[in-house]
Amino acid sequence: MSAELKRDYEIGEELGRGRFGVVHRCTSRATGEAFAVKSVDRSQLGDDLDRELAQVEPKLAQLAGAGNPGVVQVHAVYEDEAWTHTVMDLCTGPDLLEWVGLRRGEPVPEPVAAAIVAQIAQALALCHRRGVAHRDVKPEEEDDDDDEEENGGEAAPRARLADFGSAAWVGVGGLGRAEGLVGTPHYVAPEVVAGGEYGAKADVWSVGVVMYALLSGGALPFGGETPAEVLAAVMRGTLRFPPRLFDGVSHAAKDLMRRMICRYEWRRLTAEQVLAHPWIVSGGGARAV
Ligand SMILES: Nc1ncnc2c1ncn2[C@@H]1O[C@H](COP(=O)(O)OP(=O)(O)OP(=O)(O)O)[C@@H](O)[C@H]1O
């Protein structure tokens, strides 16, 4: 662990481990404020793609996150030849899955779902404008900025995008292309699975899948027994809204999902356009489109 990091922060208990590294709680020696620090030993990463992703993660997280209230903030990066330490906001709340009760199979009321989708789309719209595609949007990567008083009752949680460990540069304005099969099978867009190049709209597909899960109580549009089967369903499957899950869901919500989980990338909405959809504008209350 780098001496500069230890000079500036007191390292506390381990909070978890991910694909690249280990995350510890830490406290600023200057201010006493608590943060989380993710430490990655890049020399231990065998795979070229992993090494590249780990290298760019803190830079893209800073670029996408600076002044973006919908993104977990990076406060400092310490880098030497082998190690990268990224000091970021400490997330103490549950992730989105836990917060909305999805783990218990409860559908989320439309106004709450609309607020969550709007927050994610808003955060992504700014990421994309700055040229960063997240590429792994799923409920586990959205930390609830838990504030009991503000979020009590039926109010929506404040979801923030975390973990830019799969992110890619797609050019200012989000109009460029990325490549590589990254993401999570149930949430990944078909053009990513297909290989070749794809753009920032791959994130919009994933937000559509998150929205589908929120409104159905945890069901996912494309499934299978194995990751390969799930990916095959993503490539070939038809988007359906089974009546037993979606009977009470408005036409406007279904219309938006169809425009996000749309296999033609050119026809799919951008994150910006999602924010202008009547279901979002009306706060999940629109009945007609
Ligand atoms: N900012 C944070 N605040 C509190 N805990 C965190 C924070 N970031 C990560 N963690 C904890 O550390 C674990 C590992 O995080 P990390 O970002 O390395 O990987 P991951 O998102 O779980 O998985 P992957 O590396 O596959 O994307 C998380 O599951 C979480 O429990």
Side-chain angles (χ1 to χ4, degrees):
M1 204 168 269
S2 112
E4 285 83 5
L5 175 72
K6 285 192 177 156
R7 178 195 64 206
D8 297 342
Y9 295 87
E10 192 182 320
I11 309 301
E13 83 265 17
E14 185 179 312
L15 296 169
R17 279 173 187 270
R19 168 164 114 255
F20 300 148
V22 53
V23 180
H24 287 91
R25 174 192 267 272
C26 67
T27 309
S28 160
R29 294 190 193 280
T31 65
E33 229 184 313
F35 296 97
V37 58
K38 178 166 176 171
S39 301
V40 179
D41 182 355
R42 298 190 317 277
S43 66
Q44 296 299 309
L45 298 173
D47 188 277
D48 282 351
L49 177 62
D50 277 357
R51 222 171 309 142
E52 191 187 315
L53 290 173
Q55 184 108 43
V56 298
E57 176 180 358
K59 297 176 181 75
L60 294 182
Q62 276 180 308
L63 175 63
N68 187 344
V71 170
V72 170
Q73 297 292 299
V74 170
H75 297 277
V77 181
Y78 296 82
E79 216 164 15
D80 58 30
E81 261 168 39
W83 286 89
T84 303
H85 303 286
T86 307
V87 179
M88 57 189 152
D89 287 339
L90 177 68
C91 302
T92 50
D95 68 32
L96 189 59
L97 273 186
E98 277 158 354
W99 205 92
V100 299
L102 268 190
R103 291 198 205 286
R104 299 187 297 276
E106 292 164 19
V108 175
E110 289 194 32
V112 177
I116 294 169
V117 172
Q119 289 172 47
I120 303 170
Q122 185 104 50
L124 281 173
L126 189 47
C127 292
H128 293 171
R129 271 206 299 283
R130 292 175 176 175
V132 179
H134 184 280
R135 301 201 296 180
D136 199 15
V137 174
K138 56 184 175 183
E140 292 90 329
E141 299 302 359
E142 286 133 30
D143 285 274
D144 168 33
D145 186 6
D146 201 24
D147 179 336
E148 284 302 326
E149 276 171 50
E150 230 175 280
N151 294 329
E154 279 291 279
R158 276 174 53 200
R160 289 186 303 170
L161 284 175
D163 193 4
F164 282 71
S166 298
W169 170 250
V170 286
V172 174
L175 299 172
R177 313 293 282 170
E179 51 191 346
L181 178 51
V182 295
T184 302
H186 284 103
Y187 296 88
V188 74
E191 67 271 18
V192 177
V193 183
E197 296 188 331
Y198 52 86
K201 282 188 183 180
D203 285 341
V204 174
W205 171 285
S206 308
V207 183
V209 176
V210 171
M211 178 173 164
Y212 188 100
L214 292 173
L215 293 175
S216 64
L220 293 162
F222 307 108
E225 294 288 315
T226 62
E229 274 181 36
V230 177
L231 293 179
V234 167
M235 291 303 285
R236 289 194 311 265
T238 307
L239 177 64
R240 289 184 212 286
F241 300 108
R244 82 194 147 76
L245 294 172
F246 286 93
D247 237 3
V249 173
S250 67
H251 289 301
K254 289 178 191 159
D255 179 80
L256 177 55
M257 285 186 277
R258 279 195 199 94
R259 292 171 195 268
M260 296 168 90
I261 313 172
C262 164
R263 62 183 57 261
Y264 306 107
E265 199 187 347
W266 57 273
R267 255 176 39 192
R268 192 180 309 147
L269 299 183
T270 63
E272 203 84 55
Q273 288 167 336
V274 169
L275 293 169
H277 189 276
W279 186 75
I280 294 290
V281 172
S282 72
R287 292 283 145 185
V289 178

